[in-house]
Amino acid sequence: GGVLGTIGGGGLGFRATFTVADAGGSGYIDSITVTDPGYGYIAIPDVVIIDGGDNCSFVAGQALTAVLSTQVVNVERGAVGTTATNHSLDRNVSTATWPLRSTVGLPGAQYHFRVASYNDAGVSDYLYFTHAITQMNPNQLPTVGGQTIEVVLEGGGAKVGNTSVYIGHTHLNGSIDFDRSKLCGSLVVSDIAGTRLTCVSPPWVGRQHDIMVRYASGDFEKLSVASNQVSFPKPTIKVVDPAQVNAGLDATITITGTNFGTNQSDVVAELVGGTGRYPCSPLVLVSDSSIICTLPWKSGVVHVGTFVVGVGTDWSGGQQNTTETTVASIKEFDPPAEIKLTIAKDITEIPPASPARVQFVNDFTADLSNAIGIPDYRINVTDIVAGSVVVVFVILPDPNSATTVTPAAAAAIVAEQAADPTSALLTGAVTSATTGVSVPAAVLEAAAAAASSVVTATVTVPEYFKQSEPREYTLPNMEQCMYTCRLLCETGNEVPAVNGFPALPLERPRVCKSQCMTHCGFGRPFTPGAL
């Protein structure tokens, strides 16, 4: 074999060996091994033969020319934005000029870059530039939108007009499903390499979404997808108003909470109670934090239970439901309870319409409120008559709470405290002079019944199940069951529910099919010998 060296390039020390195949007039170099990369090179040198070796006709000093593939271009240092002087000052490479087409107006080759550097120590590892999302922050976004997102990626473009960021989903073929995706607006490229982007999130809801960066330049388009990186918070209920409604009438309730979103079609709500589930009809989405729900009155329906709000669909990343809590509960008004309390006092000291009468009523109300533990607006003094002083008053239900003490229970507390000299009632400013109490027996019985009652929820079997029971688990019977069940489920007045929520119209056929397959025995565990 022979030895190779260099001429020019400003450096020293490069050596390589080579071997020759078919020695003679038709021989050729078949391998080259670099034994020393040299040092100090500031330009590409000429590679020449230093020694052709034994019996080799190659002439010492003969230069070798590298023959490159048409798919590879050798780039001088100056072509990527630097010079020997700049390089010696440790300045960064800033630009890379690269042809996109060989002929204007016709598609050109697509180039994939790899970059390496070299110095006295040798050649660095190559960096391969692709188009890929490496990080996103934050991952949970507000349902009202307006959150600035930072996306970190490789191979991004430096021009805003060439790049788009979407939150949503892809088709099975990997392309963006624009019907299920939203554009992240106000895009900013944060650095000249296009590796950091910021954008402002759109308003949306849903359990999980993808983040997608689309880059288009000339005839080329690149799409990077980070799956299931985006989520929106689940909804919550903070207040329902009113919490008690009139029996036998339609009820209109304002539900206040968080994360309801801004799209009416993404939101469903219903009252879950001991007598069934009743969807809001209609439901009006006022804002991300407010819903107006109307519960139509129907014979046999009792408006008692807990509201559950569901936000999101399969279309928008999956539904999320509120947690059932007491703050989301309503019930029908309890009847008021009338009580008579006799107080040892001269009635002439508090004549009607006098300041003394007003003060007496205020003090009396304050004493009762403290003794029973209810707000004073629930105590309504209706009359004051002689007999010492007999105060006739009514304890009203609380429209702001479904869990507060009932009027009947409050009346029972008054009767109990009237018999206890150490009670709060008998230590009040006015009620300490109480000598008697009169509570109707029916009120006390209602309080006792409420205290000992246990409300149990009933499970309602859909009519489309009742009318499509398979006679036996054989294929003909199961198929007949499936046909009847789906027909009634998809076309009847009874809307199927998913996780306690009525299915949306577009999802109803899929939900009916799934429920009916299970009901009719498809997919049930197989037990040998059971047929």
Side-chain angles (χ1 to χ4, degrees):
V3 178
L4 301 177
T6 60
I7 297 176
L12 298 170
F14 173 85
R15 285 293 181 270
T17 61
F18 64 89
T19 59
V20 177
D22 296 336
S26 60
Y28 60 92
I29 296 175
D30 66 348
S31 71
I32 296 176
T33 302
V34 176
T35 58
D36 189 340
Y39 61 92
Y41 290 96
I42 59 175
I44 296 177
D46 293 327
V47 178
V48 299
I49 297 175
I50 301 298
D51 180 2
D54 295 337
N55 300 319
C56 180
S57 61
F58 288 122
V59 178
Q62 180 176 335
L64 302 183
T65 301
V67 179
L68 300 177
S69 163
T70 57
Q71 304 300 317
V72 177
V73 177
N74 189 16
V75 182
E76 295 282 355
R77 176 179 286 130
V80 290
T82 188
T83 64
T85 301
N86 288 339
H87 185 73
S88 66
L89 297 176
D90 198 27
R91 291 179 177 173
N92 293 330
V93 172
S94 59
T95 60
T97 303
W98 201 263
L100 290 180
R101 305 162 185 257
S102 57
T103 304
V104 175
L106 294 178
Q110 182 176 12
Y111 295 94
H112 298 275
F113 289 88
R114 67 177 188 171
V115 175
S117 61
Y118 63 90
N119 56 23
D120 291 353
V123 181
S124 71
D125 291 335
Y126 279 105
L127 286 178
Y128 291 85
F129 289 89
T130 60
H131 192 266
I133 299 170
T134 59
Q135 186 179 348
M136 171 197 170
N137 185 57
N139 296 94
Q140 187 173 81
L141 305 177
T143 53
V144 293
Q147 173 69 53
T148 298
I149 305 169
E150 182 181 56
V151 181
V152 182
L153 70 160
E154 295 178 358
K159 294 183 178 180
V160 171
N162 293 347
T163 304
S164 303
V165 179
Y166 290 88
I167 295 170
H169 304 271
T170 59
H171 291 294
L172 292 177
N173 64 6
S175 62
I176 298 176
D177 185 346
F178 290 103
D179 290 335
R180 299 179 61 211
S181 302
K182 292 190 177 184
L183 182 68
C184 192
S186 303
L187 181 69
V188 175
V189 178
S190 301
D191 62 15
I192 61 174
T195 61
R196 291 182 181 272
L197 311 176
T198 62
C199 61
V200 178
S201 68
W204 214 5
V205 296
R207 183 182 295 109
Q208 285 186 327
H209 298 269
D210 303 335
I211 182 77
M212 298 167 284
V213 177
R214 177 176 178 261
Y215 175 77
S217 179
D219 291 324
F220 302 110
E221 176 182 321
K222 297 180 180 179
L223 177 65
S224 294
V225 180
S227 301
N228 299 327
Q229 292 298 303
V230 182
S231 66
F232 293 87
K234 65 182 294 186
T236 65
I237 296 178
K238 294 185 175 180
V239 178
V240 294
D241 181 36
Q244 296 195 39
V245 298
N246 292 309
L249 298 174
D250 292 354
T252 300
I253 311 295
T254 298
I255 303 174
T256 302
T258 61
N259 306 321
F260 297 154
T262 60
N263 187 4
Q264 175 89 35
S265 63
D266 282 330
V267 187
V268 292
E270 67 176 354
L271 180 68
V272 181
T275 57
R277 297 175 175 270
Y278 306 103
C280 300
S281 180
L283 179 147
V284 178
L285 177 64
V286 179
S287 68
D288 180 68
S289 59
S290 180
I291 292 171
I292 297 177
C293 169
T294 298
L295 297 172
W297 178 82
K298 295 180 182 179
S299 178
V301 172
V302 180
H303 290 153
V304 176
T306 302
F307 279 106
V308 177
V309 175
V311 176
T313 63
D314 289 345
W315 176 85
S316 58
Q319 183 170 299
Q320 299 184 96
N321 300 336
T322 57
T323 304
E324 294 186 36
T325 60
T326 56
V327 297
S329 300
I330 68 165
K331 67 177 182 179
E332 294 180 347
F333 277 117
D334 296 300
E338 185 179 81
I339 307 171
K340 295 179 180 178
L341 208 62
T342 302
I343 296 176
K345 185 174 181 65
D346 187 351
I347 197 170
T348 61
E349 297 177 359
I350 50 171
S354 67
R357 172 69 67 96
V358 173
Q359 186 63 48
F360 175 82
V361 171
N362 289 342
D363 291 342
F364 177 84
T365 302
D367 286 351
L368 276 176
S369 174
N370 178 65
I372 306 172
I374 62 175
D376 55 12
Y377 61 76
R378 293 186 57 189
I379 301 168
N380 181 26
V381 175
T382 59
D383 200 5
I384 296 177
V385 297
S388 290
V389 171
V390 179
V391 182
V392 182
F393 63 98
V394 174
I395 298 179
L396 304 171
D398 189 349
N400 300 317
S401 174
T403 59
T404 188
V405 62
T406 66
I413 293 173
V414 172
E416 180 181 356
Q417 291 197 15
D420 180 2
T422 63
S423 67
L425 179 72
L426 296 186
T427 56
V430 170
T431 56
S432 58
T434 297
T435 59
V437 61
S438 174
V439 179
V443 173
L444 295 177
E445 290 171 1
S452 61
S453 65
V454 177
V455 179
T456 57
T458 59
V459 178
T460 303
V461 179
E463 284 296 320
Y464 52 83
F465 281 177
K466 294 179 181 178
Q467 298 183 37
S468 60
E469 292 287 348
R471 290 191 298 274
E472 56 184 356
Y473 290 117
T474 59
L475 185 58
N477 282 315
M478 291 162 64
E479 289 180 339
Q480 180 61 45
C481 169
M482 185 72 176
Y483 173 82
T484 304
C485 180
R486 288 191 64 180
L487 178 65
L488 296 175
C489 179
E490 294 179 22
T491 63
N493 294 327
E494 193 173 13
V495 178
V498 179
N499 296 325
F501 288 88
L504 297 175
L506 291 177
E507 299 175 324
R508 184 169 178 175
R510 178 182 62 80
V511 173
C512 288
K513 179 180 179 181
S514 176
Q515 291 187 359
C516 290
M517 286 188 71
T518 302
H519 170 69
C520 294
F522 291 93
R524 67 192 180 91
F526 174 73
T527 303
L531 297 178

